[in-house]
Amino acid sequence: MPVMQLKESSEQHIVIKTNLQNPKNTPKASSQNGKAPPPTSIQNNNQTSPPQPRNKGRRRGRGGRKSDQGEILTRPSSRPCTEITSAINGNVENGYNSGDIDVGFPTSSKSMNFTRRPGFGQVGTKCIVKANHFFAELPDKDLNQYDVTITPEVSSRTVNRSIIAELVRLYKESDLGMRLPAYDGRKSLYTAGQLPFSWKDFTIKLVDEEDAVNCPKRVKEYRVVIKFVARANLHHLGQFLAGKRADAPQEALQILDIVLRELSTKRYCPIGRSFFSPDIRRPQRLGEGLESWCGFYQSIRPTQMGLSLNIDMASAAFIEPLPVVEFVGQLLGKDVLSRPLSDADRIKIKKGLRGVKVEVTHRGSVRRKYRVSGLTSQPTRELVFPVDENSTMKSVVEYFQEMYGFTIQYTHLPCLQVGNQKKANYLPMEACKIVEGQRYTKRLNEKQITSLLKVTCQRPRDRENDILQTVQHNAYDQDPYAKEFGINISEKLASVEARILPTPWLKYHESGKEKNCLPHVGQWNMMNKKMINGMTVNRWACINFSRSVQDSVARTFCNDLAQMCQVSGMEFNLEPVIPIYNAKPEQVEKALKHVYHVSTNKTKGKELELLLAILPDSNGSLYGDLKRICETDLGIISQCCLTKHVFKITKQYLANVSLKINVKMGGRNTVLLDAASYRIPLVSDIPTIIFGADVTHPENGEDSSPSIAAVVASQDWPEVTKYAGLVCAQAHRQELIQDLYKTWHDPARGTVSGGMIRDLLISFRKATGQKPLRIIFYRDGVSEGQFYQVLLYELDAIRKACASLEPNYQPPVTFIVVQKRHHTRLFPNNHRDRSSTDKSGNILPGTVVDTKICHPTEFDFYLCSHAGIQGTSRPAHYHVLWDENNFTADGIQSLTNNLCYTYARCTRSVSIVPPAYYAHLAAFRARFYMEPEMQENGSTGDGNSSHSSKGTTRAAGECGVKPLPALKDNVKRVMFYC
């Protein structure tokens, strides 16, 4: 019986012994470091039998239960988190002993293995689908790795590749022994078979294309040292692919991936794991000087069928290779050749061109390239600079005329600055052109996103054909690097056995004509149905921020929406507290406070329950400002509606809005019939809590903005439909969720335990009257390279949170990573067979794959739980990293698919499991709370004092993270982020 190792800390720890009830999932402790894996304790001593039927009826009745609406206690103010719903301090009254128990965890992933696949699923209708995976035959040659040192050191991979390409050209037939090496652009070189030497020094001369201004081209000399490092173990790779070893030989996989990328890297523009070119398909303009390039994604993957080459189509925004003057005109959307620029224009141009590489066009065939560092504050006609040591001054206009015979026409425009600030050089805009092949990494505007989506949106049949054409065009059988290393790639899509899982029945309120509903192809509607828990809205108001919406139109819309809420099962007052209030978008805070105070006075102190807001279709920061003020300042639940929907009222739209309003008010729209009837395996037998967690990171270019972590948890066992959630700011681009569990010192109470997991467990206890005896944790947004780190850290935090509530309280945990950012696509085996596709031509919702293209040994599966609307559906990839509940393949696949029908905002099954979806929405919402305080450079300002929350600022890394503003109590209790 292993004993947990204590983690070094100033906190007090105790040792918890574990009862092993899942031997297949409990790895042995590492003999090297003596550290044991996370505990696998399962304490089921307090298991309770399912409640009696009379309780079930009460739970399904209309209106919120008292236990859902009970008193919500605030957490200690020192906690730098914002509660999104219920958050309660732990104490004896809540049914938990708040003893501070801390459990250590292994610091090395070597002592821990992921859950092995318990078998394959059998439930569902069997079918065949095609996947964009191409079988890659394992080479039989020795793979050797060499270390490359280039002196002087070069930061550009492109330059590094040019140096090695020149080396191979000069020495392939001599010193390299006819070997054709593959190079990663950094420090590693790979060969099939050994080179004639184990260490060798080369001198390579290369023409420098980017010298300083006005200097002749120079030939740079580099010293290249190649040194043998190791031989890759292909036998290990073969055993891993055969399922005989659990640890993947990453070095061998990396070599094969680099080899198959080598030729494409020379042909195309490499961005990450994708390759782009304007020659693959004609670029499409996106506006403001941007265009879309088509390309393809490529990655070698270990699967059950062996090595697989995953190929998918890709699109990205690039800066259009225009003359700079033309680019500036597109960027500003106006004529810049005859009109002077405003200060706002200069700022926009400076932001748009900073860091962009340009080439000069005024010197004939000499096309030197420079990177833009800034923009002059003066127009070109006013710029002068010293031309000699005597500080003789000359204007830029004169210099270009005398030196190059180039007449600058648009002297009212500023010059580009290239080089560093100490020695900046001026280049007239009209003498420069943007270099082709520069990806645009900043945020796209709505029009650009729409244009890009039109390019990327392909029907399954078209996408499949493009993928096949890409494979044929790449001609891997003719690839000299693939030949050199003995890699053969199939040109056929993989045929995979799949199953279509049965659609779950949904339960609605008994008073409706349809009490139960069976969705058809992932969809249903609210006709003849009533919400299973319809809430009451007596006091509501409406603010109209849209100038084009007249009062009569707004009144008609509000009345229609109120009636739809009534028809759907809510008790909704048809009359607002005050007449519809018209306001300007720039006066959002003033308008919201006015409506709040007038409404409160009208109702004699009773708070407004709901605020409807009509917004312009393009509303800038209005939406975020409104949500921030309502939820952190006034404590109002709000529902925003766009102008286009107000003018074009449809029953479908009104029904969807009514669903959102009901869950925001604390109600439930529908539940799974099997859940209400206690028929879901490993969920209905004992009180089970289902978590969802996600971290959203700031946009590229925001170097100091914090990341936002969100955790939600079900609060209504056995139905598992209603969720509470918490959000927290943490260090910039930190993926590990820092505040799952934490302790801090309180002057009055001493060491206090807290954190998002702990608070949500207590909230579950208050809502259901029972403590969770099983935990299912869906974690979104984790890449494969972070699996071990995230599991070790976050599973340990879950354990600590449980142990802090009650001694020996360790409910079994199943930890599942949800991935949407992958490139596996599933296509119908026969596109003409309408019985096997939905209306969009995609595979049917409920299609699950756990064979052939999945991991050789680990517990993963692809699930397409939704019906396609347009484009090609992307299945979600679920990876069960840790499972103490002993789920079967059918058990976790069916549960996950069924939960996708409980998403509260629409009458469709969704593409990822709702708790993960809700966590993403919560994290996204929380970013609105901080953006008004962000400065132009991304640093955090002081902000408005009314938006700040009390408490200490947690330091993360070397930078402090400012807490999110606290939410109002009445907002915390509901799923307002829906």
Side-chain angles (χ1 to χ4, degrees), residues 314-353:
S315 292
F318 282 74
I319 302 173
E320 197 171 351
L322 298 168
V324 169
V325 172
E326 189 177 337
F327 172 83
V328 168
Q330 284 202 26
L331 182 67
L332 299 179
K334 64 181 184 181
D335 175 27
V336 298
L337 301 182
S338 57
R339 299 178 182 178
L341 299 176
S342 66
D343 290 340
D345 291 337
R346 291 175 187 273
I347 292 172
K348 191 169 184 179
I349 295 169
K350 185 177 179 180
K351 285 183 177 181
L353 285 173

Side-chain angles (χ1 to χ4, degrees), residues 870-891:
Q870 57 181 354
T872 303
S873 296
R874 188 199 308 247
H877 187 202
Y878 296 90
H879 211 121
V880 184
L881 300 187
W882 192 258
D883 181 24
E884 295 168 346
N885 289 297
N886 293 320
F887 272 99
T888 62
D890 283 325

Side-chain angles (χ1 to χ4, degrees), residues 538-542 576-579 591-611 630 633-637 970:
N538 287 317
R539 301 179 300 279
W540 63 277
C542 176
V577 171
I578 61 173
L592 290 170
K593 290 185 175 179
H594 172 79
V595 169
Y596 175 77
H597 291 304
V598 172
S599 300
T600 304
N601 291 336
K602 185 77 177 290
T603 57
K604 298 180 180 179
K606 293 182 179 179
E607 291 186 343
L608 206 59
E609 294 171 328
L610 176 69
L611 177 72
C630 283
D633 192 1
L634 301 177
I636 304 176
I637 300 297
N970 61 323

Side-chain angles (χ1 to χ4, degrees), residues 258-268 275 474-475 478-481:
I258 290 169
V259 168
L260 289 172
R261 296 172 59 81
E262 187 72 32
L263 188 60
S264 293
T265 299
K266 299 180 188 300
R267 286 179 175 174
Y268 309 113
F275 300 94
N474 288 348
Q478 302 298 320
D479 184 339
Y481 295 94

